[in-house]
Amino acid sequence: MAGIKTASGEYIDDSWELSVFVEDLGSEADPVPLRISGSMHIGGVMLQIVDKLELQRDWSDHALWWEQKKMWLLNTHWSLDKYGVLADARLLYTPQHKPVRLSLPNHCAVRIRANFAQPVFSAVIDICRVLGIRHPEELSLLRAPAEKEKRKHKEKEGSATETYDLTGVRLPTNAEQQLFRGMPAHFSDSAHTEACYRMLSISQTGLTPEQILRKHRPGSLVEKTQINSRWLDSSRTLLQQDIKENDHLWLRFKYYSFFDLEPKYDAVRINQLYEQARWSVLLEETDCTEEEMVVFAALQYRINQLSLNTGPTDHAGDSGLDDLDAALATLEVKLEGKSTTPNVLDSLTAIPELKDYLRILRPRKLTLKGYKQYWVTFKETSISYYKSPEEALGEPVQQLNLKGCEVVPDVNISGQKFCIKLLVPSPDGMSEIHLRCVDEQQYARWMAGCRLAAKGKTMADASYQAEVQNILSFLQLQRANPDAPLATEAEGAQWLVSPRYQKKFKPKQLTPRILEAYQNVAQLSLIDAKMKFIQAWQSLPDFGISYFVVRFKGSRKDEILGIANNRLIRIDLAVGDVVKTWRYSNMRQWNVNWDIRQVAIEFDEHINVAFSCISASCKTVHEYIGGYIFLSTRTADSGQELKEDLFHKLTGGHEAL
């Protein structure tokens, strides 16, 4: 045992004195002096601390934090020598779980216990278990904006938003989520927790123009990059990133790849996703056309109507009957056999093709040429166009392989404009071509084919018909319905559009248009309206792109890098045009040179791309790319098991180690 003394009081063994600060005693308290040796294990040190304090309380959540090294000493069987702890080490005995104030995607606030001793990825998993959100790998934490940025808005801030307190909730590790009265059991403990569940699962109504105006709206691509500099490192702990107890953090969907959205189990997840989509549209973080904005307003109006009269458990339905119906349906399929086999076999032998007259425009600088009609064929992932059907057996005017291209809709329902803008990769950058369709049906077929071809898939893919129907469904929402009776009033409907459109139109102009679009969604249920909103948001050209200011190797100017769930996009900073697109499916490998902070990526055909990050850490970009690769590995067969180790291998880098 350490601390053997002679008769004169001198120590004759290898022991030495270590001072440990105990957070529970307060910041002004003196450290606790311990007599220890380097061979003593961490568990023994903590036992000595507790014995010296002589305080009767639960110390099971406490651990040692080494301030100089910014490191938790969590391996209690490791010795001080193994960790390298010496007498000058400043150690803090502190709880591993501490409360933080979270701003949720619906902009409501909640106080919740977070794990400060595990990587942020694990901390988010624990937070989402308490909130009742499945697939926590899609979310992450980011720092709230600095106070100085918000100082000019302080006068506009009204009364402080209510903060819901969930710090008292303790869930057993790895325990299955139990439902009680249609909600997770821990929310049924009190009226306060039930009110919290209502806030989480039911959308916020009564939005005022002041609430929108006092939120920060990005005015340019560069401003859109600022939020991505605030993401926390998923491989490091909160304390390692200087997050303190009761700090203000944001919880947001970071990766725009939403797996297995199931209304029966995902009431909170769908509502929070809807709220993030809604604010993304209202704050113009995702661009949309005038007609699309009116559709979003109509869907919000429908959701607000239904939310006012909905209880937190109304959407749960009778889960027992639902399970029985699902089981019977599965049994029926097994008994009758699948009738779709011939269709599947046909699709393996014959890939569908599209052939039709389309009007084509190839934009060129300093020219005023308009659209010209051609006979266009769409085979596999390539589009070819000819002057007439008779010439289709010969050489085309041009053939375009759409694999890896950008597909941008350009639609105006009232003006009968159905255009598809294609940005096709070429040796000189991106080659632009516009296809103009005659009507909605033709547009939906060709647009669906283009979107699949961009991913390297053909129209034989099982998702083709569903894509066609989704496009037609979104177009139908934008179409006026003259036969439907118009609602006579819609209080506050004009505030459901972004400030740009509030300034452009007067309320008496906006409200009738929103009510007209509302007739197309008036029959939707609450959950269907939210899902329709999310699907419409996903169909926008700018959906799910996270922007960064970067400097490409060999370039002398800053550019924008857009990271989406399936591709990287190089964008001209000055004009906002897409310069080049690279698909993850063509990626061979990527790595980070941590010394010079440069990301290097190798694609097929010996294409190498390297860039340094300016607006954020290169670790954030590395984590985005690795995160999307990780999410693409999820399958329905893997169930709810989350491969944390794989995520850290793909996103961590040597800094995480």
Side-chain angles (χ1 to χ4, degrees), residues 26 102 124 175 196 309 351 356-357 401:
L102 278 189
V124 170
C196 184
N309 304 313
I351 296 175
D356 215 337
Y357 281 108
N401 189 340

Side-chain angles (χ1 to χ4, degrees), residues 37-242:
S37 66
S39 60
M40 182 178 286
H41 54 77
I42 298 299
V45 175
M46 292 196 294
L47 191 61
Q48 269 203 43
I49 296 170
V50 173
D51 288 343
K52 283 243 180 176
L53 290 174
E54 296 182 350
L55 294 174
Q56 295 298 319
R57 65 174 64 180
D58 183 3
W59 298 100
S60 60
D61 189 48
H62 284 59
L64 288 171
W65 165 254
W66 189 355
E67 285 194 1
Q68 294 104 318
K69 297 270 187 175
K70 287 197 167 185
M71 186 169 82
W72 285 94
L73 310 182
L74 297 178
N75 291 316
T76 54
H77 60 282
W78 278 24
S79 67
L80 293 170
D81 284 343
K82 190 168 184 178
Y83 268 119
V85 176
L86 300 175
D88 62 346
R90 183 179 170 88
L91 299 184
L92 179 67
Y93 192 51
T94 179
Q96 298 178 59
H97 290 82
K98 302 178 186 182
V100 292
R101 184 169 176 264
L102 278 189
S103 171
L104 302 174
N106 64 354
H107 291 208
C108 291
V110 61
R111 279 186 82 244
I112 195 167
R113 288 173 83 243
N115 192 331
F116 276 63
Q118 292 298 324
V120 166
F121 187 78
S122 301
V124 170
I125 292 173
D126 292 344
I127 288 170
C128 288
R129 283 185 71 237
V130 173
L131 297 178
I133 298 176
R134 292 196 313 148
H135 297 290
E137 65 274 14
E138 297 166 359
L139 299 92
S140 193
L141 297 172
L142 59 161
R143 301 174 193 274
E147 287 296 328
K148 60 182 180 181
E149 295 176 20
K150 301 193 291 182
R151 197 170 293 160
K152 58 185 177 182
H153 298 298
K154 278 190 177 178
E155 293 179 0
K156 295 182 182 179
E157 292 283 354
S159 57
T161 55
E162 180 185 357
T163 301
Y164 295 85
D165 194 344
L166 288 176
T167 52
V169 175
R170 306 281 196 277
L171 293 182
T173 309
N174 300 325
E176 263 192 50
Q177 196 78 277
Q178 298 296 324
L179 293 181
F180 180 72
R181 291 194 293 133
M183 68 178 87
H186 57 274
F187 281 112
S188 60
D189 291 344
S190 67
H192 176 78
T193 51
E194 280 196 27
C196 184
Y197 185 73
R198 180 183 175 84
M199 174 274 293
L200 291 167
S201 60
I202 298 176
S203 59
Q204 306 299 301
T205 58
L207 193 64
T208 63
E210 290 77 19
Q211 286 176 286
I212 300 174
L213 290 171
R214 68 172 174 247
K215 305 285 185 186
H216 174 70
R217 298 192 308 281
S220 63
L221 271 178
V222 174
E223 287 191 27
K224 288 182 181 180
T225 66
Q226 292 173 359
I227 188 172
N228 293 316
S229 66
R230 307 204 313 265
W231 288 109
L232 294 180
D233 187 336
S234 295
S235 305
R236 303 171 71 209
T237 68
L238 290 171
L239 208 51
Q240 284 176 321
Q241 299 178 72
D242 299 319

